[in-house]
Amino acid sequence: MKLLPALAFAGMVVASTAAHAQEPTPPASPGVQVDAAATNTQPSPVNIIVDVQMVVIPIGTAAPLVRELMDPNKTSAAYEKIQGLITSGEAKLVGWPMIITQSGQRAVFEAIDEFRFAADYTAGGIGVYFPDRETMEHTKADANSKEMKNTVSGTDFAGIPSSFETRNTGVSLEVEPTISEDLKKITLNIVPQHVRIKGMNQVAIERPETKEKVIVEQPEFTTMKSVTTFTIKNGEQRLLGVYPTTDPPNHLELFILRGEWRKVD
C-alpha cells in the first residue's frame, strides 16, 4: 500500500514530460522567412573588374617582354616593367577598356568613332575644260573661232557615289566572366578589339561605255582582335595578343588583360 503514492507520482512525471514534448513550436514573427536548410548567412555578392591595356612598344623592347608575359612565373614582373615604360613614354597606351560586371553577366565597353565612306560608285559625267580668258587673249583667239573650239585643255570623268557604309573605329571589349564557388578563379569569355584607319587607297573605276577610268579614294582599316576563353586567378595578368603595326613601323601592339573580383559590402 505504501507504493501507490510513489507510482502515482511517477505517472504524473511521465505525463508532464509527454505534455511538454508535444507543445507546438512558436510561430515565426510576421514577415520573417526561416530557411531551415541554411546554416550560414548568404555570401556577399562580388563585382568582377576586367581591363585590357593596349600598348604599342618598339619591337626591340617588346620581344623579351612578350616572352616574360607568357611565363607564369614572370608575368607580374613583366607587367610592372610595361607600366614603367608607359610612364616614361617609351611605350604608348593606345587603349584601355575597363568593365565592371558580375558573374555570368555579359558586359560591353565601346570607345568608337564612326567613319562613313562611299562604298559604290556609278558612272558620272565627263567634264570638258577650255582655256581661260587669259589664255585666249594670249593666243589672240576668239571664243567662237574654229581654232578655239578645237582647243581643249582637259577632261575628267567623275564617279558618283551610289551607296555609303559606316565603319566603327576605336576600342571595344566584350566579356562574360564566371567566378568559381571558392572565389579563387575567374573564367572569361572575352573579345577585345582595336580598329583604326590605316590610310586611304586610290582605286580605279571604269565607265562602261567609253572605258574611261577615274581614281577614287577608299579607306583601308586595320583590325586587331582576340576571341578566346580561359581561366585566371584573382588579380592575375594575361597576354591576349601580339600585333605588328605599320604606324609607327617596327612596333608591336600588345593586349594585356588583368582581372580581379571585389566583395560588395
Side-chain angles (χ1 to χ4, degrees):
M1 297 299 294
K2 293 182 179 180
L3 295 176
L4 291 177
L7 291 173
F9 178 74
M12 292 176 60
V13 171
V14 172
S16 175
T17 303
H20 179 73
Q22 294 176 1
E23 289 181 1
T25 303
S29 301
V32 177
Q33 296 181 352
V34 178
D35 187 357
T39 57
N40 297 313
T41 58
Q42 294 296 323
S44 300
V46 298
N47 285 334
I48 301 174
I49 305 169
V50 179
D51 69 84
V52 177
Q53 287 190 347
M54 301 174 177
V55 188
V56 175
I57 309 174
I59 289 180
T61 304
L65 289 172
V66 168
R67 294 296 182 187
E68 292 179 17
L69 287 169
M70 296 174 65
D71 184 342
N73 297 320
K74 299 180 181 179
T75 300
S76 295
Y79 181 82
E80 294 303 324
K81 289 180 184 178
I82 291 173
Q83 306 314 299
L85 293 174
I86 294 172
T87 302
S88 67
E90 297 176 69
K92 183 178 181 181
L93 185 63
V94 295
W96 194 356
M98 183 180 298
I99 286 177
I100 301 177
T101 186
Q102 293 189 345
S103 182
Q105 298 298 312
R106 176 178 175 269
V108 178
F109 171 98
E110 290 183 338
I112 61 176
D113 293 315
E114 292 185 350
F115 186 88
R116 192 166 185 260
F117 59 96
D120 295 298
Y121 291 83
T122 58
I126 297 178
V128 180
Y129 302 93
F130 293 97
D132 55 23
R133 181 175 296 278
E134 181 179 349
T135 302
M136 289 189 297
E137 292 178 353
H138 180 71
T139 59
K140 298 181 180 179
D142 185 84
N144 294 321
S145 67
K146 181 178 179 180
E147 178 183 343
M148 189 62 201
K149 289 179 180 179
N150 292 333
T151 303
V152 177
S153 65
T155 63
D156 67 9
F157 162 42
I160 299 175
S162 58
S163 67
F164 290 83
E165 292 184 2
T166 300
R167 181 74 180 271
N168 291 337
T169 61
V171 169
S172 65
L173 175 63
E174 298 180 31
V175 62
E176 183 176 339
T178 304
I179 194 166
S180 61
E181 293 184 0
D182 59 7
L183 303 181
K184 291 183 179 181
K185 297 180 180 179
I186 306 170
T187 299
L188 300 166
N189 295 319
I190 189 167
V191 184
Q193 179 174 260
H194 182 197
V195 180
R196 61 180 181 175
I197 299 175
K198 184 177 180 180
M200 301 297 291
N201 290 334
Q202 292 187 337
V203 180
I205 59 175
E206 186 177 275
R207 186 183 181 93
E209 297 84 357
T210 62
K211 303 302 180 182
E212 293 171 293
K213 294 183 178 181
V214 65
I215 304 299
V216 298
E217 288 191 333
Q218 292 286 283
E220 182 179 0
F221 298 92
T222 297
T223 300
M224 303 174 186
K225 182 178 181 179
S226 295
V227 181
T228 185
T229 301
F230 58 90
T231 301
I232 61 172
K233 298 177 182 178
N234 187 40
E236 186 179 359
Q237 300 90 18
R238 180 69 61 88
L239 179 65
L240 296 183
V242 180
Y243 309 92
T245 68
T246 56
D247 182 22
N250 301 319
H251 282 64
L252 296 177
E253 183 168 336
L254 311 184
F255 284 7
I256 308 169
L257 170 139
R258 186 177 187 277
E260 65 174 315
W261 63 262
R262 296 177 184 173
K263 284 189 177 181
V264 179
D265 296 330

